[in-house]
Coordinates of all heavy atoms in Angstrom, one line a residue:
M60 N 20.2 -0.2 20.6 CA 20.1 1.2 20.1 C 21.4 2.0 20.2 O 21.8 2.7 19.2 CB 19.0 1.9 21.0 CG 18.7 3.3 20.6 SD 17.8 3.4 19.0 CE 19.0 4.2 17.9
K61 N 22.1 1.8 21.3 CA 23.4 2.4 21.5 C 24.4 1.9 20.4 O 25.2 2.6 19.9 CB 23.9 2.2 22.9 CG 23.1 3.1 23.9 CD 23.4 2.9 25.3 CE 22.4 3.7 26.1 NZ 22.1 3.1 27.4
Q62 N 24.4 0.6 20.2 CA 25.3 0.0 19.2 C 25.0 0.5 17.8 O 25.9 0.9 17.1 CB 25.1 -1.5 19.3 CG 26.1 -2.3 18.5 CD 25.9 -3.8 18.5 OE1 24.8 -4.2 18.8 NE2 26.9 -4.5 18.1
L63 N 23.7 0.6 17.5 CA 23.3 1.2 16.2 C 23.8 2.6 16.0 O 24.4 3.0 15.0 CB 21.8 1.1 16.1 CG 21.0 1.5 14.8 CD1 20.8 2.9 14.6 CD2 21.7 0.9 13.5
A64 N 23.6 3.4 17.1 CA 24.1 4.8 17.0 C 25.6 4.9 16.8 O 26.1 5.6 15.9 CB 23.7 5.5 18.3
G65 N 26.3 4.0 17.5 CA 27.8 4.0 17.3 C 28.1 3.6 15.8 O 29.0 4.2 15.2
Q66 N 27.5 2.6 15.3 CA 27.7 2.1 13.9 C 27.4 3.2 12.9 O 28.2 3.5 12.0 CB 26.9 0.9 13.6 CG 27.4 -0.3 14.4 CD 26.4 -1.5 14.3 OE1 25.2 -1.3 14.0 NE2 26.8 -2.7 14.7
V67 N 26.3 3.9 13.1 CA 25.9 5.0 12.2 C 27.0 6.1 12.2 O 27.4 6.6 11.2 CB 24.5 5.5 12.5 CG1 24.2 6.8 11.7 CG2 23.5 4.5 12.2
N68 N 27.3 6.5 13.4 CA 28.3 7.6 13.5 C 29.6 7.2 12.9 O 30.3 8.1 12.2 CB 28.5 8.0 15.0 CG 27.3 8.6 15.6 OD1 26.5 9.3 14.9 ND2 27.0 8.5 16.9
E69 N 30.0 6.0 13.0 CA 31.2 5.5 12.3 C 31.1 5.6 10.8 O 31.9 6.1 10.1 CB 31.5 4.1 12.8 CG 33.0 3.7 12.8 CD 33.1 2.4 13.5 OE1 32.9 2.2 14.7 OE2 33.5 1.4 12.7
R70 N 29.9 5.1 10.3 CA 29.7 5.1 8.9 C 29.7 6.5 8.3 O 30.1 6.7 7.2 CB 28.3 4.4 8.5 CG 28.4 2.9 8.4 CD 27.2 2.4 7.6 NE 25.9 2.5 8.3 CZ 25.5 1.6 9.2 NH1 26.3 0.6 9.5 NH2 24.4 1.7 9.8
L71 N 29.2 7.4 9.1 CA 29.0 8.8 8.6 C 30.3 9.7 8.8 O 30.3 10.8 8.4 CB 27.8 9.5 9.3 CG 26.5 8.9 8.9 CD1 25.3 9.7 9.6 CD2 26.2 8.9 7.4
T72 N 31.3 9.1 9.5 CA 32.5 9.9 9.8 C 33.1 10.2 8.4 O 33.2 9.4 7.6 CB 33.5 9.0 10.6 OG1 32.9 8.7 11.8 CG2 34.8 9.8 10.9
G73 N 33.4 11.5 8.3 CA 34.0 11.9 7.0 C 32.9 12.4 6.0 O 33.3 12.9 4.9
T74 N 31.6 12.1 6.2 CA 30.6 12.5 5.3 C 30.3 14.0 5.5 O 30.0 14.4 6.6 CB 29.3 11.7 5.6 OG1 29.5 10.4 5.4 CG2 28.2 12.2 4.6
E75 N 30.5 14.8 4.5 CA 30.4 16.2 4.6 C 29.0 16.6 5.1 O 28.0 16.2 4.5 CB 30.7 16.9 3.3 CG 31.1 18.3 3.4 CD 31.2 19.0 2.1 OE1 31.6 18.4 1.1 OE2 30.9 20.2 2.1
G76 N 28.9 17.5 6.1 CA 27.6 18.0 6.6 C 26.8 17.0 7.4 O 25.7 17.3 7.8
A77 N 27.4 15.9 7.8 CA 26.6 14.9 8.5 C 26.5 15.3 10.0 O 27.4 15.9 10.5 CB 27.2 13.5 8.4
A78 N 25.4 15.0 10.6 CA 25.2 15.2 12.0 C 25.4 13.9 12.8 O 25.9 12.9 12.2 CB 23.8 15.7 12.3
R79 N 25.0 13.8 14.0 CA 25.3 12.6 14.9 C 24.0 12.0 15.3 O 22.9 12.6 15.5 CB 26.0 13.1 16.1 CG 27.5 12.9 16.0 CD 28.3 13.2 17.2 NE 27.7 14.0 18.2 CZ 27.3 13.6 19.4 NH1 27.3 12.3 19.7 NH2 26.8 14.5 20.3
V80 N 24.1 10.7 15.6 CA 23.0 9.9 16.2 C 23.4 9.6 17.7 O 24.5 9.2 17.9 CB 22.7 8.6 15.5 CG1 21.6 7.8 16.1 CG2 22.3 8.9 14.0
F81 N 22.4 9.8 18.6 CA 22.7 9.4 20.0 C 21.6 8.3 20.3 O 20.4 8.5 20.0 CB 22.6 10.6 20.9 CG 22.9 10.3 22.3 CD1 24.2 10.3 22.7 CD2 21.9 9.9 23.2 CE1 24.6 10.0 24.1 CE2 22.3 9.6 24.6 CZ 23.6 9.6 25.0
G82 N 22.0 7.3 20.9 CA 21.1 6.2 21.3 C 20.7 6.1 22.7 O 21.6 6.3 23.6
A83 N 19.5 5.9 23.0 CA 19.0 5.8 24.4 C 17.9 4.8 24.6 O 17.3 4.4 23.6 CB 18.5 7.2 24.9
E84 N 17.7 4.4 25.8 CA 16.7 3.3 26.1 C 15.4 4.0 26.4 O 15.4 5.0 27.2 CB 17.2 2.5 27.3 CG 16.3 1.3 27.5 CD 16.9 0.3 28.5 OE1 18.1 0.1 28.5 OE2 16.1 -0.2 29.3
I85 N 14.3 3.5 25.9 CA 13.0 4.0 26.4 C 12.0 2.9 26.2 O 12.0 2.1 25.2 CB 12.5 5.2 25.5 CG1 11.1 5.7 26.0 CG2 12.5 4.9 24.0 CD1 10.6 6.9 25.3
D86 N 11.0 2.8 27.1 CA 9.8 2.0 26.9 C 8.7 3.0 26.6 O 8.3 3.7 27.6 CB 9.6 1.1 28.2 CG 8.3 0.2 28.0 OD1 7.6 0.5 27.0 OD2 8.1 -0.6 28.8
V87 N 8.2 3.0 25.4 CA 7.3 4.0 25.1 C 5.9 3.9 25.8 O 5.1 4.8 25.8 CB 7.0 4.1 23.5 CG1 8.2 4.5 22.8 CG2 6.4 2.8 23.0
T88 N 5.7 2.8 26.5 CA 4.5 2.6 27.2 C 4.5 3.3 28.5 O 3.5 3.3 29.2 CB 4.2 1.1 27.4 OG1 5.1 0.5 28.3 CG2 4.2 0.3 26.1
V89 N 5.6 3.8 28.9 CA 5.7 4.5 30.2 C 5.9 6.0 29.9 O 6.9 6.5 29.4 CB 7.0 4.0 31.0 CG1 7.0 4.7 32.4 CG2 6.9 2.5 31.1
A90 N 4.8 6.8 30.3 CA 4.8 8.2 29.9 C 6.0 9.0 30.4 O 6.6 9.7 29.6 CB 3.5 8.8 30.5
E91 N 6.5 8.7 31.6 CA 7.6 9.5 32.1 C 8.9 9.3 31.3 O 9.8 10.1 31.3 CB 7.9 9.2 33.6 CG 6.7 9.3 34.6 CD 5.7 8.2 34.4 OE1 6.1 7.0 34.5 OE2 4.5 8.5 34.2
Q92 N 9.0 8.1 30.7 CA 10.2 7.8 30.0 C 10.4 8.7 28.7 O 11.5 8.9 28.2 CB 10.3 6.3 29.6 CG 10.5 5.5 30.9 CD 11.0 4.1 30.7 OE1 11.4 3.8 29.6 NE2 10.8 3.2 31.7
H93 N 9.3 9.2 28.2 CA 9.4 10.1 27.1 C 10.0 11.5 27.6 O 10.8 12.1 26.8 CB 8.0 10.4 26.5 CG 7.4 9.2 25.8 ND1 7.5 9.0 24.5 CD2 6.7 8.2 26.4 CE1 6.9 7.8 24.2 NE2 6.4 7.3 25.3

Side-chain angles (χ1 to χ4, degrees):
M60 186 66 249
K61 285 172 190 150
Q62 192 182 17
L63 185 278
Q66 290 165 345
V67 171
N68 291 332
E69 210 172 291
R70 274 199 288 278
L71 294 180
T72 303
T74 302
E75 204 189 323
R79 263 185 338 110
V80 176
F81 186 85
E84 187 171 325
I85 181 178
D86 180 348
V87 297
T88 67
V89 183
E91 304 77 52
Q92 293 195 15
H93 292 264

